[in-house]
Amino acid sequence: MNLQISNMLRIASILVLTVLLFTGSVYAQNPIVQTNFTADPAPMVYNDTVYLYTSHDEDSTVANFFTMYDWRCYSSTDMVNWTDHGAVASLKNFRWLDKTNGAWAVQCIERNGKYYLYVPIHGTGVCVLVADSPYGPFTDILGKQLVDSDHLWQDIDPTVFVDDDGQAYLYWGNPSVWYVKLNEDMVSYDHSIGNNGVVSVDMTAESFGESVRPDGKLGTKYVEGPWFYKRNNLYYLIYAANGVPESIGYSTSPSPTGPWTYQGLIMERYPKLSFTNHSGTIDFKGNSYFFYHNEALPNGGGFRRSSCVEQFEYNEDGSIPLMVPTKEGVTSSLEPLNPFKRTEAETIAWSEGLKTTEGSNGVYVSQINDNDYLKVRSVDFAKGAKKFEATAASLAGGKIEIRLDAKDGQLIGVCEITKTDGEAIWKSFTAKVDKVKGVHDLYFVFKGNDGQLFNFDHWKFIK
């Protein structure tokens, strides 16, 4: 069998597998957020938590184009349950900016107890916001762009990294890639190099692979969405490749500024991936994770995308294997969830039919209708619980069926939610539960009459 035929059969088998995966499991893990459309996932590891910053595609588009007003944050300590912290920044943070759309791909980094959120605003440039907490509030301390451009696409998709010697780098760009050397304050850069501080990376086939552009001219595989990091003294630049629809490729370098060497693809074009893609990669608690986005949620599409994650292992030489997007995503929890402490209702592994909303008490689960449900994975009941407590607000009321291991799994209790005289009038409700032991997936299945039943803020079990 010649190499060309072998490669064709390999790609065909991967495509068949992908279709099966995307149409398979009912109780899936990818996309990891189902209550909002989230794109351009940018993970940040800080202490024992992964903070995932995303752009936010609105449910309804304007002029059938990217409709993006804010940036969201989710967190996880186990890589299967993700807590929604709502919109942590928006275009409204920039009071000098006369722009109502264009909150594109974002990345956050911590340095010296401060959190720096680098955000591109389509057609405006790269800006930076600063906070004392990963959840914000973020503040615009510059009152202007960090990197300015009159090019509509150039200054998008910032990625930031602080090297071991303390030097920070900010990369970005479409259809080429540029960088600046950030000063220690992380909100200014060294103007003594390149073109007033901005260095244009040499876009060669050796560095980024060769590709034929739509106009027939030769170019590189690099398109946009760079993700820059270092691992075992090797520098990686991962990026969207090969035009539309985009795949994911990567290059490596012995230094933070090149020369870069093209290494190949990480993810090819598959069904249910959107025509754009954007990745982020982290090591966390001894494991490696690759984030990307697709359009697999109901009503999803190229302008309504959803963040996903796959666990993987680097090859011995540091190269990244070719990955297949799956519906299962991360298959095992890094640690069990403790149900005997307050858990936010918006801590979710999987849900159907639900949304999240932000109010005076923070983020809560909303738009709950009959037969909607949410799943929390790997809940450790230890020697058992005797009571369940939930905080909810309602004009209608309903029930929470508490089940184990499946939507129609073992019923251990039912919590009645009665009217509270207002959708923001919160009240505590309790229910007796059957004593169960050990680790289980926990399902809250919502029951009631037609229409929205109640809002759900937090819960816990009592020993």
Side-chain angles (χ1 to χ4, degrees):
M1 181 182 296
N2 64 43
L3 182 60
Q4 183 178 7
I5 295 175
S6 176
N7 286 338
M8 290 174 63
L9 289 174
R10 173 175 168 271
I11 292 172
S13 64
I14 290 175
L15 289 174
V16 170
L17 174 61
T18 303
V19 172
L20 291 174
L21 289 172
F22 271 115
T23 57
S25 172
V26 175
Y27 307 122
Q29 183 70 30
N30 274 331
I32 57 177
V33 176
Q34 310 85 41
T35 52
N36 285 283
F37 291 112
T38 58
D40 310 312
M44 178 186 73
V45 176
Y46 185 68
N47 290 336
D48 63 347
T49 301
V50 174
Y51 298 90
L52 184 67
Y53 297 86
T54 73
S55 57
H56 174 209
D57 291 337
E58 294 292 329
D59 290 3
S60 300
T61 63
V62 175
N64 193 32
F65 191 63
F66 297 108
T67 306
M68 307 165 73
Y69 308 136
D70 53 32
W71 298 276
R72 302 185 66 86
C73 178
Y74 301 82
S75 68
S76 180
T77 58
D78 57 22
M79 292 303 295
V80 295
N81 299 303
W82 292 89
T83 301
D84 186 346
H85 301 285
V88 295
S90 77
L91 295 176
K92 295 178 181 179
N93 284 89
F94 305 101
R95 296 182 179 179
W96 52 270
L97 182 66
D98 183 20
K99 199 170 182 66
T100 58
N101 192 5
W104 287 19
V106 64
Q107 187 176 350
C108 187
I109 192 170
E110 183 274 341
R111 187 172 193 181
N112 297 328
K114 297 285 187 179
Y115 298 85
Y116 299 89
L117 194 71
Y118 296 88
V119 302
I121 301 167
H122 180 51
T124 299
V126 177
C127 301
V128 59
L129 298 167
V130 187
D132 294 323
S133 162
Y135 314 115
F138 285 91
T139 302
D140 172 28
I141 66 173
L142 292 182
K144 62 179 182 179
Q145 300 95 327
L146 171 61
V147 178
D148 195 3
S149 174
D150 57 2
H151 190 287
L152 188 60
W153 299 93
Q154 177 177 311
D155 292 342
I156 66 171
D157 301 337
T159 178
V160 62
F161 168 75
V162 179
D163 209 347
D164 297 335
D165 62 0
Q167 179 61 61
Y169 300 85
L170 181 72
Y171 276 82
W172 71 87
N174 173 325
S176 300
V177 63
W178 295 264
Y179 73 86
V180 295
K181 296 175 70 172
L182 291 170
N183 295 324
E184 189 173 355
D185 63 11
M186 301 298 284
V187 297
S188 63
Y189 58 87
D190 180 1
H191 286 259
S192 67
I193 60 174
N195 181 12
N196 197 27
V198 177
V199 179
S200 178
V201 176
D202 193 12
M203 307 302 293
T204 66
E206 291 76 18
S207 292
F208 298 101
E210 188 175 84
S211 180
V212 178
R213 296 289 186 180
D215 59 7
K217 296 181 180 179
L218 287 179
T220 68
K221 292 184 181 296
Y222 177 91
V223 179
E224 60 185 353
W227 182 264
F228 179 50
Y229 67 102
K230 180 182 181 181
R231 187 178 187 274
N232 294 339
N233 295 318
L234 187 63
Y235 296 86
Y236 293 77
L237 196 65
I238 298 176
Y239 45 85
N242 288 326
V244 174
E246 294 173 342
S247 51
I248 299 291
Y250 78 109
S251 302
T252 60
S253 171
S255 86
T257 59
W260 296 97
T261 301
Y262 177 66
Q263 300 294 346
L265 294 181
I266 298 172
M267 187 169 285
E268 296 176 347
R269 300 156 173 158
Y270 296 97
K272 291 296 183 180
L273 294 182
S274 67
F275 66 86
T276 65
N277 212 332
H278 194 291
S279 61
T281 305
I282 56 168
D283 287 338
F284 181 61
K285 296 183 178 179
N287 300 284
S288 299
Y289 299 94
F290 178 80
F291 292 79
Y292 60 100
H293 64 229
N294 69 17
E295 56 180 45
L297 283 184
N299 201 36
F303 304 120
R304 288 183 293 272
R305 301 157 295 174
S306 296
S307 298
C308 301
V309 63
E310 306 291 345
Q311 186 172 337
F312 75 99
E313 293 183 3
Y314 288 85
N315 298 318
E316 290 187 4
D317 62 358
S319 60
I320 302 174
L322 186 66
M323 295 183 219
V324 175
T326 70
K327 199 164 187 176
E328 285 76 10
V330 177
T331 57
S332 60
S333 172
L334 295 179
E335 61 183 30
L337 185 143
N338 178 6
F340 301 109
K341 65 178 183 179
R342 169 175 165 155
T343 301
E344 298 300 320
E346 61 275 11
T347 299
I348 300 171
W350 187 260
S351 68
E352 291 189 4
L354 307 175
K355 303 292 283 186
T356 56
T357 301
E358 296 172 62
S360 58
N361 62 325
V363 181
Y364 57 88
V365 175
S366 61
Q367 296 190 27
I368 298 174
N369 290 270
D370 180 55
N371 213 38
D372 291 344
Y373 74 94
L374 69 83
K375 169 187 176 181
V376 184
R377 283 178 63 178
S378 299
V379 177
D380 188 359
F381 288 92
K383 295 182 180 180
K386 67 177 182 179
K387 190 164 66 171
F388 171 76
E389 181 179 279
T391 298
S394 173
L395 288 174
K399 300 177 181 179
I400 303 175
E401 293 184 349
I402 307 163
R403 295 183 177 271
L404 301 181
D405 301 318
K407 182 182 177 183
D408 58 355
Q410 178 186 351
L411 180 67
I412 64 170
V414 177
C415 186
E416 298 273 355
I417 307 296
T418 58
K419 295 180 181 180
T420 64
D421 298 324
E423 295 179 353
I425 307 299
W426 300 96
K427 182 180 176 182
S428 179
F429 301 90
T430 61
K432 292 182 179 180
V433 294
D434 296 338
K435 187 176 182 179
V436 295
K437 299 180 180 180
V439 178
H440 298 269
D441 289 345
L442 176 65
Y443 285 75
F444 296 131
V445 184
F446 306 108
K447 298 292 184 178
N449 296 323
D450 292 340
Q452 294 185 25
L453 305 179
F454 51 86
N455 296 323
F456 187 16
D457 191 29
H458 56 85
W459 58 269
K460 68 177 180 179
F461 286 84
I462 299 171
K463 295 181 180 181

